[in-house]
Amino acid sequence: MAARAQPLSWVQATGGVFILLVALLILGPLIAVVLRAEGFGGLGASDWAAIRFTLLQAALSALLSCLAAVPVARALARRRFTGRGAYVALMGAPFILPVLVAVLGLLAVFGRAGWVNAVLTDLGAGTVDIYGLGGVVLAHVFLNLPLATRLLLQAWLSIPSERMRLAHALNFGPRAMRRHFEIPVLRAALPGAALVIFLICTTSFAVALTLGGGPSATTVELAIYQAFRFEFDLGRAALLGMVQVGICIGAGLLAWLFAAQASFGAGLDRPAMSWPGDGQAARFTDGLALGLAGLFLLLPLLAVTLEGIGAVVSLPGSTWAAALRSILVALGSTALAVTLAVPIALLIAGRAARAGLEAVGLLSIAVSPLVIGTGLFLIVFPVANPVALSLPITGLVNALVALPFLLRALIPAATEAEATHGRLADALGMHGMARFRHAILPRLRRPLGFGAGLAAAFSMGDLGVIALFSAPGQETLPLEMYRLFGSYRTDDAQGAAVLLMALSLGLFWLFDRGGRVNAST
C-alpha cells in the first residue's frame, strides 16, 4: 500500500512515541523485579505449593470451562429461537462483571448459607463447601464459561452455509455431522480456547483471595500479595513475580501456537441453514444445555441483586466515598488507555511490519498487574512514598491492562478506515487534524466506545494493585467491599456488590452507547 512508503503523520508519530512509552512502563517494572529477585534457589516449600496450585486450578478451570461450553456453543450454533440474541448477550456479562461481585453471587447460591445448601439440608443430603480448590475452579468456570462458549460459537459459525446445504443433500445423520463438521471444529478451536482460559486463570488474584488462601489454596499472584503486603519481603515478591511472568509467557506462547481455525473454505455469506439430522433427542439436549448454562450464569447475579439491593441506601459514607474514588480512577484510566490506544492503532494500521508493534501493544497480557505494581513500587520507593501514589498507580496499571483489548477493537477498524476513507482524504488534499477528524475518527467511534466501556468496567472492578498499595482512606469500591465482607458485615458487602455491579455495567453501557451515536460504521 502506498501509505507504507509515506512519512509518518503526526498521529502515527505520536503512536510511535506512545508505544515506546508503553514498552517502558511494562518492561521497566519487569526489569526492576528481575534485579530484585533472589534466584530460583530462594523459592520455599510454600512457594512451590503455590506454583503447583496455580497450574492445577488453571488446568482444571480451562478443562471444565471448555467441556461445559461445547454443548452450549453447539446448541447456539444450530438453534434459532426468540431471545437468542439476549442469551448471547448474557454470555458477555460475566466478562465485564467485577470478580468480587461474581464471587459474592456464587457464595449466595453455593456457600454455607446459600440456596443449594439450604435445599440439600432439607433433603438430608449434607452440604457442599465452596472454599478451597473446588470454589476457585467453580468461580473460574462461572467467569470463563461465556468466553469459551463465544470462542467455540465463533468457530462453529465459520462453517459456510453451502457446506450445510451439501450435508442436507447427502442426507447426513448425527454421526456423519460429528465426523465431518463437529470434530474438525473442536479439534481446531478447543486447544486455543483452553489455553487462553488457562492463561487468564494463572493470573487469578481476587478469586483466590476470597475463596482460596491458606497453604493448600494459594496462587502465585496471591503469594506475591502476601509476601508484599504482610511480610514486606520485596525479594521474595520479586522472585514470585518472575515465576508468574514465566508462567504467563509460556501459556501465552502455547495459546499463540495453537490458535487455529478449522478450514471449511469460503462461502457466499448466505443465511445460516438448519442442521441435518435434527431429531427430538438433539432438540432436547440443546434445550437442556442452554437451560442449565443460563441458570448457572443467572442465579448468582439474581442472588446478589435480591440480597443486596435493599442495603444500598443504608451503605456507610465510607462506601460511597470509595465508589467516588473508583469512578474517578476508572475515568482517568479509561482516558489514558484511549489516549494511548488511538495513535498506536493508527500507527499499526499504516505499517507493513506490524507484528512487532502489535506484540508491544499486547505485552501487558503476558505480565500480570501485580508484577507491574510490584515493579513500580520498587522504582518509586527510593524517591517517594508509593502509598501516597496508590490511586494514580492503580489507574496507570489498569490502563495498561485495558490497552490490549482496546487495540484489538481499534486496529481492524483503523486498517479499514485508512484503506478506504484515508485514501480519499489524501486524494482531496486533507492533512493533519482535519484528515483525522473528518476521515478517520468517525470510523473508529463504535469500536472506540466499546473498548472504552471495557476499560472502564475493568478498572471499576479491579482488585489487584490497589490491594498492594492502599492505606486507610484510599480504598476503591472493590477493596471496600472486600473489607466489609472480611469483617462479616455481609449486608453492607452485598449492598456494595449491587452498587459496584451497577456502576461497572453502567459505565460500560454509557461508553458503548456513546460510541454508537452517529457512528459511521
Side-chain angles (χ1 to χ4, degrees):
M1 297 173 63
R4 296 184 178 90
Q6 294 176 355
L8 291 175
S9 68
W10 67 272
V11 178
Q12 292 173 326
T14 306
V17 174
F18 283 173
I19 208 161
L20 289 175
L21 180 63
V22 169
L24 180 65
L25 288 171
I26 296 174
L27 295 179
L30 187 59
I31 292 171
V33 168
V34 172
L35 294 177
R36 189 59 183 255
E38 299 170 343
F40 287 93
L43 291 174
S46 61
D47 301 324
W48 286 110
I51 295 171
R52 287 194 295 271
F53 181 79
T54 299
L55 298 176
L56 176 63
Q57 61 84 20
L60 289 175
S61 300
L63 177 65
L64 295 178
S65 297
C66 288
L67 287 179
V70 169
V72 182
R74 180 175 58 185
L76 285 171
R78 61 184 184 182
R79 301 289 161 208
R80 297 294 180 271
F81 54 89
T82 304
R84 182 179 179 276
Y87 193 97
V88 174
L90 170 68
M91 290 288 157
F95 192 61
I96 57 175
L97 190 70
V99 175
L100 275 186
V101 175
V103 169
L104 210 60
L106 290 171
L107 285 171
V109 176
F110 299 100
R112 291 193 182 101
W115 297 351
V116 171
N117 274 330
V119 173
L120 292 176
T121 302
D122 290 342
L123 296 175
T127 59
V128 295
D129 185 9
I130 197 175
Y131 291 97
L133 176 63
V136 171
V137 172
L138 177 68
H140 284 159
V141 172
F142 174 81
L143 292 167
N144 292 298
L145 170 61
L147 174 61
T149 301
R150 295 290 288 266
L151 292 173
L152 295 182
L153 177 61
Q154 188 177 8
W156 240 302
L157 294 180
S158 69
I159 302 174
S161 182
E162 288 76 11
R163 301 294 183 276
M164 213 54 71
R165 186 187 301 272
L166 182 61
H168 274 288
L170 296 175
N171 198 24
F172 273 13
R175 179 177 293 180
M177 288 299 293
R178 278 195 294 273
R179 178 184 175 189
H180 294 287
F181 291 98
E182 297 185 34
I183 291 177
V185 163
L186 295 177
R187 189 184 295 143
L190 264 181
L195 284 165
V196 167
I197 295 172
F198 178 86
L199 173 61
I200 293 172
C201 293
T202 57
T203 59
S204 174
F205 173 68
V207 168
L209 182 67
T210 48
L211 296 177
S216 61
T218 297
T219 61
V220 174
E221 289 276 286
L222 186 54
I224 294 172
Y225 168 74
Q226 292 168 342
F228 191 97
R229 188 76 185 183
F230 300 134
E231 304 166 13
F232 201 63
D233 187 344
L234 296 180
R236 179 167 169 256
L239 179 58
L240 288 167
M242 286 303 303
V243 171
Q244 182 66 61
V245 170
I247 292 174
C248 289
I249 290 177
L253 287 175
L254 287 175
W256 178 71
L257 288 173
F258 282 91
Q261 291 288 332
S263 178
F264 291 98
L268 299 176
D269 296 330
R270 291 195 174 100
M273 291 187 64
S274 62
W275 283 41
D278 189 14
Q280 191 172 1
R283 287 193 291 272
F284 174 76
T285 55
D286 286 350
L288 185 64
L290 293 173
L292 291 177
L295 278 178
F296 179 60
L297 296 175
L298 275 179
L299 281 180
L301 302 181
L302 184 64
V304 167
T305 304
L306 291 179
E307 297 189 8
I309 195 166
V312 172
V313 294
S314 59
L315 286 172
S318 60
T319 304
W320 291 104
L324 179 60
R325 279 191 289 274
S326 279
I327 293 173
L328 293 176
V329 170
L331 293 178
S333 171
T334 303
L336 178 59
V338 168
T339 302
L340 292 172
V342 172
I344 292 176
L346 291 173
L347 173 68
I348 292 173
R351 298 291 99 187
R354 51 196 289 174
L357 297 174
E358 283 194 64
V360 175
L362 304 178
L363 194 58
S364 61
I365 289 180
V367 184
S368 85
L370 278 189
V371 173
I372 298 176
T374 303
L376 288 174
F377 182 94
L378 294 171
I379 293 171
V380 171
F381 185 62
V383 295
N385 179 11
V387 175
L389 300 173
S390 60
L391 293 180
I393 290 177
T394 299
L396 171 62
V397 176
N398 288 344
L400 293 175
V401 170
L403 186 60
F405 299 96
L406 264 163
L407 289 177
R408 292 315 307 162
L410 284 173
I411 289 173
T415 303
E416 184 178 350
E418 284 288 351
T420 55
H421 292 75
R423 288 183 176 180
L424 178 61
D426 293 337
L428 294 174
M430 295 175 66
H431 302 287
M433 180 60 77
R435 181 182 187 275
F436 174 70
R437 181 180 175 187
H438 297 292
I440 304 298
L441 186 58
R443 278 83 211 167
L444 302 184
R445 286 187 60 177
R446 189 185 291 269
L448 191 59
F450 174 74
L454 284 182
F458 288 166
S459 185
M460 273 301 303
D462 174 67
L463 177 67
V465 177
I466 189 64
L468 284 179
F469 291 92
S470 74
Q474 294 183 323
E475 297 90 347
T476 57
L477 186 54
L479 185 57
E480 172 73 4
M481 177 184 156
Y482 173 70
R483 289 181 176 172
L484 290 171
F485 182 70
S487 57
Y488 301 102
R489 295 168 62 181
T490 307
D491 291 343
D492 286 340
Q494 289 170 337
V498 173
L499 179 61
L500 179 58
M501 181 167 60
L503 289 173
S504 299
L505 298 180
L507 280 177
F508 173 79
W509 182 83
L510 280 175
F511 279 109
D512 186 42
R513 180 68 180 169
R516 294 170 188 269
V517 175
N518 297 326
S520 296
T521 59

